[in-house]
Amino acid sequence: KSDSDTYTCDIGDAQSRAKLVVQESPVLFKKELRNEEAKEGKQVKLSCELSKPDAPVKWMKGDTVLCASEKYELKQRGTVAELIIRDVTARDS
């Protein structure tokens, strides 16, 4: 995408110009989330793999956007995004 711009070719007083527009391919899931089971009080890790590294990820529980806290740890390395839920309770289901 960063290569999108106007390019020119100059020869003396003559100039030719072209605009390049690079269309980004969509981010897709290479590996989707899987259902998990855990005992109360334990830690659970949910992970998925994306088709592009460092793509912006938003973790949600129902309609609520999750943020990093003592309860939730959000990690992203390259194409892998992880959500770690600490001290799980029945309310985390």
Side-chain angles (χ1 to χ4, degrees), residues 24-72:
E24 290 185 277
S25 54
V27 179
L28 303 171
F29 288 103
K30 288 174 72 175
K31 179 182 167 194
E32 296 195 16
L33 292 173
R34 292 199 286 175
N35 295 335
E36 296 287 340
E37 287 187 21
K39 292 190 178 198
E40 205 167 30
K42 297 295 183 181
Q43 176 175 292
V44 173
K45 178 168 65 172
L46 302 175
S47 66
C48 59
E49 187 174 356
L50 312 170
S51 61
K52 284 186 173 185
D54 304 316
V57 170
K58 177 171 58 173
W59 287 96
M60 299 181 70
K61 179 185 177 206
D63 294 332
T64 304
V65 176
L66 302 178
C67 298
S69 65
E70 288 184 22
K71 179 77 171 174
Y72 302 111

Side-chain angles (χ1 to χ4, degrees), residues 65-82:
V65 176
L66 302 178
C67 298
S69 65
E70 288 184 22
K71 179 77 171 174
Y72 302 111
E73 182 178 352
L74 290 64
K75 292 183 176 182
Q76 192 166 355
R77 285 173 300 212
T79 58
V80 177
E82 297 177 338

Side-chain angles (χ1 to χ4, degrees), residues 2-21:
S2 64
D3 290 321
S4 294
D5 207 339
T6 300
Y7 291 84
T8 59
C9 180
D10 294 337
I11 51 168
D13 292 336
Q15 186 179 71
S16 180
R17 201 176 270 251
K19 184 175 184 176
L20 172 63
V21 178

